[in-house]
């Protein structure tokens, strides 16, 4: 990774901002970080990556809701187990559709939903913001790379001339 310093600075800065925003608005910080991670792991660049993150994470939220809701209608956990198997298969099969092609994104959304007991109101805001956080990190990194590409050579040139 050639631009490790710029990546580190932009990620660290925006992670700190996200932590503060999440705390101020009582959002689940780790959900945003998982959505941000999904953005970086999926194959699309730019805003198309944000969309793929949203679609795949939200599909997982939906599938977990199906398991949680469906299982709650029966007194036996066996129905929940069966639904989990069916839903797992469907999350893999949905990858046939381009917008849902990143299977881990669906599993991340599903796991978030299980971890938060299906509390959709606690899931959706940080899930949406987290994908945007990843996108913002790439944009800020790009700006930092462009800035250092212009300024570092100029500074080196000045140092060389000063030494002569």
């Amino acid at each position: 990774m050639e631009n490790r310093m710029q990546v580190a600075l932009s990620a660290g800065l925006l992670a700190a901002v996200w932590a503060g925003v999440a705390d101020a608005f009582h959002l689940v910080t780790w959900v945003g970080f998982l959505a941000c991670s999904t953005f970086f792991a999926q194959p699309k660049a730019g805003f198309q990556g944000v969309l793929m993150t949203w679609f795949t994470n939200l599909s997982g939220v939906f599938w977990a809701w199906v398991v949680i809701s469906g299982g709650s209608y029966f007194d036996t956990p066996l129905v929940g187990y069966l639904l989990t198997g069916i839903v797992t298969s469907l999350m893999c099969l949905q990858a046939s559709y381009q917008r849902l092609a990143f299977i881990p994104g669906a599993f991340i959304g599903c796991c978030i939903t299980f971890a938060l007991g299906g509390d959709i109101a606690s899931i959706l805001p940080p899930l949406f913001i987290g994908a945007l956080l990843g996108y913002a990190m790439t944009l800020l990194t790009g700006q930092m790379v462009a800035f250092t590409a212009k300024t570092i050579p100029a500074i080196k040139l000045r140092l060389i001339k000063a030494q002569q």
Side-chain angles (χ1 to χ4, degrees):
M1 181 179 287
E2 293 177 28
N3 303 305
R4 188 164 294 152
M5 184 59 72
Q6 294 91 333
V7 170
L9 290 173
S10 66
L13 173 67
L14 292 177
V17 169
W18 163 243
V21 167
D23 185 48
F25 291 98
H26 308 288
L27 300 172
V28 183
T29 309
W30 61 265
V31 172
F33 280 121
L34 285 175
C36 180
S37 298
T38 302
F39 174 81
F40 284 111
Q42 58 76 38
K44 301 284 184 184
F47 198 73
Q48 291 300 313
V50 172
L51 292 175
M52 179 168 273
T53 299
W54 284 342
F55 291 146
T56 58
N57 283 166
L58 289 174
S59 73
V61 170
F62 168 76
W63 290 121
W65 175 82
V66 168
V67 172
I68 293 168
S69 301
S72 70
Y73 287 109
F74 301 93
D75 288 333
T76 175
L78 295 176
V79 174
Y81 305 155
L82 179 63
L83 285 172
T84 299
I86 292 168
V87 160
T88 297
S89 296
L90 292 172
M91 284 192 294
C92 293
L93 288 173
Q94 78 181 14
S96 299
Y97 299 99
Q98 187 177 17
R99 294 272 189 204
L100 301 172
F102 186 61
I103 295 171
F107 279 87
I108 289 169
C110 191
C111 290
I112 288 168
T113 307
F114 286 139
L116 291 176
D119 182 2
I120 302 299
S122 294
I123 296 166
L124 295 183
L127 203 62
F128 278 102
I129 295 168
L132 293 172
L133 176 66
Y135 184 44
M137 286 178 180
T138 62
L139 294 176
L140 181 56
T141 298
Q143 293 298 315
M144 293 175 109
V145 167
F147 176 76
T148 55
K150 291 177 188 174
T151 57
I152 299 296
I155 292 170
K156 286 181 181 177
L157 183 61
R158 279 189 229 139
L159 289 174
I160 291 170
K161 286 182 179 179
Q163 291 174 353
Q164 294 174 348

